[in-house]
Amino acid sequence: MPGEAQVTIGNDTELPVAPEEQGSRTIYVLSSLFPSRIQPTAGLFVRERVFRLRPAFRLVVISPQPWFPLQSLIRWFRPGYRPDTGRFEKQDGVEVFFPRFFSLPGVLRRLDGLSMALCTLPLLLRLRRCYGEGILDAHFAYPNGRAGVLLGRWLGWPTSITLRGTETRQLKDPALAPQVVSAVREADQVISVSDSLRQLLVGAGAAADHIEVVGNGVDIGKFTAIPRDEARRRMDIPADASVLISVGGLVERKGFHRVLEILPELIGQFPQLRYVIVGGGSPEGDMSDALRGQVRDLGLSGHVIFTGPLPPEQLALPLSCADVFVLSTRNEGWANVFLEAMGCGLPVVTTAVGGNAEVVCSADLGTVVPFGDRAALRDATAAALVRDWDRQYIMSYARENAWEARVRILVERFRALSAGARSARKG
């Protein structure tokens, strides 16, 4: 896996045993979105957080993958649909398992939480023999959170759920909304990456004091500015160009196509404009071909640079080339990429959705515009390109939001959850 320590592949029937560690705390991470050799950029934001808990806890990752017998046929006309991962990887010394769970697309997705729990239970029972009792740390309220609550009930383990943004869409689905809310209500601990998500769940019926906001952080070691002239030379971008950049999965939600729509007007103001697009397909889909076609149709080939997906440790280079980071996203929980861009000194232009305004919380950090307002996006981007930003202030804000402070809070919460579970078992 790019940028990671050696990743070893094994058989999920050969579980490692560490009897000398039986007494230490174990967090069993449950997230169907997690990086693998097949999808190295999927769920990087989940791994970025959970792997930082390793000094305090033993980690085991379970990433259940949806499956049904005929899904390979769908790949004939939808390449990349539910790609086959292996069953086991070792990433930076952490065991990551990819069990299958039965999942039919469409209306039967309402059964995914139950199916995930039933299909994951045998693996967890075996892991318990190796690593003992633990905490279930589920990411996304559905289906992982719902499955986590059920598994916690069956195993007698406490369950933590982290809300990450998919809940916004799921709460609009009459079949899924009750399961999202019940999972949040029944979990022993609920963490939201943004206050907007917390408020959304409270409005849907969850208790306000049951959800704590702990935003994502940024790795300043990876996201530090490279001198701009050097970065542009290495990227073969003219030193006098005006440069925009967007980073993310090339899917509709992220809005790369919405930025491309305003580019011809911006080029009228900034003839040397370059737009750097960093990313590739993701489990949500892949608009790569559509975006390249849009570039051709708009006559933008000399102005748009597609880098493809890059591992986190390589992102500082294209970010350091740019003047402004722009993302016309439809929905976000907490976009780590904003802080990553700020770590390299970039102001951010984005949309007023999800937790975006909580990250870009000051006019000195960027501009937040209404989603779908094309003129506002264009004007804010143009204004950002000519403004003399205090980039040292922007970088200092990113440093204030480094992972260390977030991780201290998370370690405290998980230790309390573990201690409470042990006291209950003794009682």
Side-chain angles (χ1 to χ4, degrees):
M1 185 174 301
E4 292 295 324
Q6 181 68 32
V7 177
T8 58
I9 303 298
N11 187 314
D12 70 340
T13 62
E14 300 172 357
L15 297 180
V17 180
E20 73 280 1
E21 296 181 349
Q22 290 283 345
S24 61
R25 302 177 180 90
T26 301
I27 292 180
Y28 295 90
V29 178
L30 186 66
S31 177
S32 54
L33 193 63
F34 203 83
S36 69
R37 276 189 169 175
I38 303 301
Q39 293 184 299
T41 61
L44 280 171
F45 52 91
V46 177
R47 188 175 68 183
E48 183 74 10
R49 193 192 89 172
V50 300
F51 273 25
R52 292 177 181 278
L53 300 176
R54 282 181 293 176
F57 303 92
R58 182 197 297 112
L59 293 182
V60 180
V61 177
I62 300 99
S63 182
Q65 301 297 299
W67 173 89
F68 73 98
L70 301 178
Q71 68 183 29
S72 60
L73 298 178
I74 296 179
R75 296 192 196 107
W76 284 98
F77 54 90
R78 281 186 61 187
Y81 178 78
R82 292 186 178 180
D84 286 327
T85 61
R87 295 300 183 95
F88 175 80
E89 297 182 7
K90 200 164 188 178
Q91 302 179 13
D92 272 359
V94 175
E95 285 87 23
V96 182
F97 297 86
F98 298 92
R100 305 294 186 259
F101 73 96
F102 185 75
S103 172
L104 284 172
V107 294
L108 292 180
R109 293 297 296 273
R110 69 186 66 180
L111 301 177
D112 279 2
L114 175 61
S115 178
M116 182 184 289
L118 290 170
C119 295
T120 304
L121 180 60
L123 173 61
L124 276 170
L125 290 172
R126 292 161 55 210
L127 287 169
R128 183 173 64 178
R129 293 198 298 271
C130 298
Y131 298 129
E133 308 291 332
I135 299 168
L136 284 162
D137 176 27
H139 293 258
F140 310 97
Y142 190 85
N144 304 276
R146 185 62 195 151
V149 166
L150 291 171
L151 289 164
R153 185 186 305 162
W154 299 337
L155 294 168
W157 295 354
T159 301
S160 174
I161 292 176
T162 297
L163 309 176
R164 290 190 168 277
T166 56
E167 298 79 13
T168 301
R169 169 177 49 82
Q170 292 166 342
L171 286 173
K172 297 175 183 176
D173 186 329
L176 299 184
Q179 299 199 58
V180 170
V181 176
S182 67
V184 169
R185 286 174 172 169
E186 295 174 35
D188 299 281
Q189 170 178 281
V190 182
I191 293 168
S192 176
V193 296
S194 67
D195 188 61
S196 66
L197 271 178
R198 175 181 172 274
Q199 295 297 336
L200 188 69
L201 266 297
V202 170
D209 59 359
H210 189 49
I211 305 173
E212 180 176 10
V213 177
V214 182
N216 292 323
V218 61
D219 186 338
I220 295 299
K222 292 177 183 175
F223 296 96
T224 299
I226 298 169
R228 181 173 297 175
D229 288 346
E230 176 189 344
R232 292 191 176 186
R233 177 181 55 78
R234 291 167 60 184
M235 291 285 293
D236 196 24
I237 292 175
D240 60 346
S242 299
V243 182
L244 302 173
I245 188 170
S246 299
V247 179
L250 302 188
V251 296
E252 191 282 335
R253 177 172 64 88
K254 292 293 185 178
F256 293 85
H257 59 297
R258 289 185 277 273
V259 179
L260 289 173
E261 288 173 0
I262 64 171
L263 222 58
E265 296 168 81
L266 291 174
I267 291 170
Q269 294 179 254
F270 308 94
Q272 292 296 311
L273 184 66
R274 298 293 188 275
Y275 178 35
V276 180
I277 294 177
V278 182
S282 82
E284 284 186 52
D286 188 351
M287 288 186 67
S288 300
D289 291 342
L291 292 172
R292 292 178 185 277
Q294 186 180 10
V295 168
R296 288 193 301 271
D297 293 344
L298 293 173
L300 299 173
S301 297
H303 296 273
V304 179
I305 300 167
F306 290 91
T307 71
L310 296 175
E313 60 274 12
Q314 293 181 20
L315 286 176
L317 176 61
L319 287 171
S320 297
C321 289
D323 298 293
V324 175
F325 185 93
V326 58
L327 198 67
S328 182
T329 180
R330 180 182 295 277
N331 179 56
E332 295 290 338
W334 176 284
N336 294 39
V337 72
F338 294 162
L339 287 175
E340 293 166 357
M342 291 175 186
C344 295
L346 296 188
V348 173
V349 175
T350 191
T351 43
V353 298
N356 289 356
E358 296 173 49
V359 189
V360 189
C361 58
S362 162
D364 292 324
L365 300 171
T367 307
V368 179
V369 302
F371 176 78
D373 190 331
R374 183 178 181 278
L377 179 66
R378 178 200 62 211
D379 294 345
T381 305
L385 284 169
V386 298
R387 178 172 168 177
D388 183 18
W389 296 91
D390 184 344
R391 297 182 187 271
Q392 289 300 320
Y393 171 79
I394 293 172
M395 287 188 282
S396 69
Y397 173 79
R399 287 193 293 272
E400 290 168 5
N401 286 275
W403 270 113
E404 285 72 18
R406 309 285 203 265
V407 170
R408 280 196 295 271
I409 296 171
L410 293 169
V411 167
E412 289 174 4
R413 300 301 179 266
F414 279 105
R415 280 178 172 162
L417 198 59
S418 177
R422 289 178 181 174
S423 298
R425 284 196 293 270
K426 290 178 180 177

